């Protein structure tokens, strides 16, 4: 599956957005407008203007809808959720070559809110996976105490953890210790 630079950026953005949601400890990584502004700047969201409480509320709302896409059990469910996100954003595809990037497609309308910008661009990035029959690559970490979202871009669709150096390694070490303990005794 060919993934263009702008699609990859949108995938990184949607994964990071979903992973800002409060999980086990209840801490929201988007607690206020300043955090949303940092998030937008870190992800090079263009043309979003000055962010407000309204933007924060709207982004949190779509964050939950994107989380549902990652939890979808089948392509039809994922497609329905993505269609709703993209339609609500008022998708308006257009070619652009701003900020030193080559030609690429923006799916949000000029002057769109941050939430509509994210919903349109990220929704379309996820739509490409559903169209390609690759919806199962939109995953949650299999570590029991993690559940972070990620996109499995491995060749053989075998990635199980959000980060093999943390979650994957921790579970492999625990399994190794359990085997050694059982063998010893």
């Amino acid at each position: 599956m060919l993934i263009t630079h702008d699609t990859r950026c949108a995938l990184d953005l949607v994964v990071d957005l979903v992973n800002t949601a409060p999980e086990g400890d209840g801490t929201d990584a988007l607690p206020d407008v300043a955090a949303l502004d940092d998030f937008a700047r870190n992800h090079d969201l263009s043309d979003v203007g000055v962010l407000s409480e309204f933007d924060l509320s709207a982004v949190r709302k779509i964050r939950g809808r994107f989380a549902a896409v990652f939890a979808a059990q089948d392509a039809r469910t994922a497609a329905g959720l993505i269609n709703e996100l993209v339609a609500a954003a008022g998708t308006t595809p257009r070619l652009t070559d701003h900020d030193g990037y080559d030609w690429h497609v923006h799916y949000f309308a000029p002057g769109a809110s941050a939430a509509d910008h994210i919903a349109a661009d990220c929704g379309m990035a996820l739509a490409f996976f559903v169209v390609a029959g690759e919806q199962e690559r939109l995953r949650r970490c299999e570590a029991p105490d993690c559940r972070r979202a990620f996109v499995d871009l491995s060749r053989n669709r075998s990635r199980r953890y959000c980060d093999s150096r943390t979650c994957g390694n921790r579970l492999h070490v625990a399994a190794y210790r359990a085997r050694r303990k059982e063998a010893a005794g």
Side-chain angles (χ1 to χ4, degrees):
M1 176 174 185
L2 174 67
I3 300 174
T4 62
H5 171 75
D6 50 316
T7 299
R8 180 59 193 256
C9 290
L11 291 172
D12 291 344
L13 189 155
V14 72
V15 164
D16 288 349
L17 178 64
V18 169
N19 290 334
T20 65
E23 288 292 325
D25 65 358
T27 303
D28 191 328
L30 287 179
D32 53 33
V33 175
L36 178 60
D37 191 56
D38 287 344
F39 183 85
R41 191 173 34 264
N42 290 338
H43 287 282
D44 294 325
L45 283 183
S46 59
D47 205 23
V48 293
V50 176
L51 299 172
S52 67
E53 288 291 332
F54 176 81
D55 293 306
L56 179 62
S57 176
V59 168
R60 284 177 175 165
K61 182 178 178 183
I62 64 164
R63 173 179 67 186
R65 302 197 51 109
F66 278 123
V69 173
F70 279 84
Q73 296 299 311
D74 56 58
R76 183 165 306 283
T77 302
L81 293 164
I82 292 167
N83 283 340
E84 290 172 10
L85 278 159
V86 170
T91 306
T92 308
R94 64 188 167 98
L95 287 168
T96 183
D97 67 342
H98 64 88
D99 298 328
Y101 294 107
D102 286 334
W103 289 104
H104 60 283
V105 180
H106 279 187
Y107 295 97
F108 58 93
S113 69
D116 286 347
H117 176 143
I118 294 168
D121 273 0
C122 295
M124 291 305 300
L126 296 178
F128 296 144
F129 278 78
V130 174
V131 168
E134 300 285 351
Q135 179 259 334
E136 76 276 359
R137 289 182 181 269
L138 309 177
R139 298 192 174 159
R140 290 291 192 152
C141 185
E142 290 184 17
D145 59 340
C146 182
R147 306 301 299 152
R148 290 176 56 86
F150 68 94
V151 178
D152 179 3
L153 297 177
S154 66
R155 283 183 187 253
N156 62 358
R157 299 172 190 85
S158 62
R159 188 169 159 199
R160 298 172 48 208
Y161 306 108
C162 64
D163 187 343
S164 61
R165 290 173 302 219
T166 55
C167 290
N169 190 47
R170 187 170 25 87
L171 288 174
H172 288 120
V173 168
Y176 171 77
R177 288 180 179 158
R179 285 191 306 272
R180 292 207 21 143
K181 183 177 180 180
E182 185 178 305

